[in-house]
Amino acid sequence: MKDLYSISEVAEAFGISVAALRFYEERGLVRHSERRGRVRHYTREDLAALAYAQLWHEDGLLTLAETSAIVGSEHIADRLALITSQRDAMLDRMAKLERAVAVLTHMLGCRTDKALDCPMTGAYIRGRVDAALDGTPHTTDFWPAPGPGTSPGPDAPAS
């Protein structure tokens, strides 16, 4: 097994460009151990740092700034606070995306010629218009809340 790996070998092995690897270095996410001529070389320990950064950036879907903050955190409490914040933001985005998929699924299945003729869509649109004209916050949801002993329609999002 080799002791050192060139920047091009590392980039190819990790599926990133040489420019991206250099940018990771600029951000402090990875470092090279030595240069041979003008070529940067990395040890397995350096590569572990790169894989750790990729865990956060690619698998955790964090920005490079967020990745840098987590990788650079020296205390577990700081790291856990950053992770919790990002996870909570992702859960919020996921809920919004699930709702959007459910709305689009309903709209695909709605067989009225005009959207306002659909009982669900029409009621929702009229509620938004009324709220806007009254100057009040729009508080109704596209999906009606199930009443006692009822459940949402077949294309309603899971709770």
Side-chain angles (χ1 to χ4, degrees), residues 92-110:
D92 184 53
R93 283 192 304 261
M94 286 171 52
K96 289 176 182 176
L97 287 170
E98 286 173 356
R99 181 181 185 281
V101 166
V103 168
L104 294 173
T105 299
H106 170 78
M107 299 306 279
L108 283 170
C110 190

Side-chain angles (χ1 to χ4, degrees), residues 6-12 14-30 32 40 42 50 54 57-58 64:
S6 72
I7 191 169
S8 58
E9 289 173 319
V10 171
E12 183 177 341
F14 280 80
I16 59 176
S17 68
V18 168
L21 187 49
R22 287 186 185 121
F23 187 67
Y24 272 41
E25 279 198 49
E26 290 173 20
R27 298 297 301 242
L29 295 170
V30 67
H32 63 277
R40 299 171 184 179
Y42 302 83
L50 174 59
Q54 284 184 316
H57 183 59
E58 294 175 8
L64 282 177

Side-chain angles (χ1 to χ4, degrees), residues 75-107:
H75 303 286
I76 191 167
D78 296 336
R79 189 169 55 254
L80 292 178
L82 290 165
I83 294 167
T84 299
S85 172
Q86 292 306 314
R87 187 217 41 213
D88 291 350
M90 284 182 183
L91 288 171
D92 184 53
R93 283 192 304 261
M94 286 171 52
K96 289 176 182 176
L97 287 170
E98 286 173 356
R99 181 181 185 281
V101 166
V103 168
L104 294 173
T105 299
H106 170 78
M107 299 306 279

